[in-house]
Amino acid sequence: MALDLLEAAGDAAAKETAQALGERLRAVRREAYALVDEVPAGERLADRLAVKTRAYDVLRAATTAAIVAGGGRASGLGSPAQRPAREGLFLVVRGRTADVRSARLRALRG
């Protein structure tokens, strides 16, 4: 949804950002599906955690970009951009294990 909002924003920078983030999302999705389809459950846990962390990074970037592209009005309750931003924040904090939280914090430190 956030990528759709960027595409619809109407300016070249937003569309370029949507394309770049879409490429990142497709790469993460391919990697995640490969781990699910090709690797037995319970194996390569560090790789699974790394993919999950990269997925969160793309989510955060996409929702932030949708808000930036929409300007100040995008954070208002009437804006479609605020919903994926709130949902993204909810997914980051909802029911995460200590390992996932630690991985996210490491990723945020850079």
Side-chain angles (χ1 to χ4, degrees):
M1 178 175 198
L3 295 179
D4 295 335
L5 292 169
L6 279 171
E7 285 284 343
D11 71 56
K15 289 183 181 192
E16 289 174 22
T17 302
Q19 290 171 353
L21 290 171
E23 290 171 14
R24 285 175 52 193
L25 176 62
R26 287 186 290 281
V28 169
R29 184 178 286 152
R30 279 191 303 273
E31 196 172 350
Y33 283 130
L35 284 169
V36 169
D37 294 341
E38 301 167 11
V39 178
E43 293 184 13
R44 293 182 57 191
L45 298 178
D47 292 335
R48 293 173 192 267
L49 186 56
V51 168
K52 182 181 274 193
T53 298
R54 284 195 300 280
Y56 287 140
D57 289 340
V58 175
L59 169 70
R60 178 183 43 82
T63 57
T64 300
I67 295 291
V68 169
R73 68 187 179 284
S75 60
L77 289 178
S79 169
Q82 56 77 32
R83 181 175 175 181
R86 287 185 296 118
E87 289 170 351
L89 182 59
F90 177 75
L91 290 174
V92 169
V93 299
R94 180 190 148 268
R96 300 296 165 219
T97 65
D99 289 343
V100 172
R101 286 191 308 269
S102 293
R104 286 297 305 135
L105 289 171
R106 280 192 304 276
L108 290 169
R109 285 193 303 264

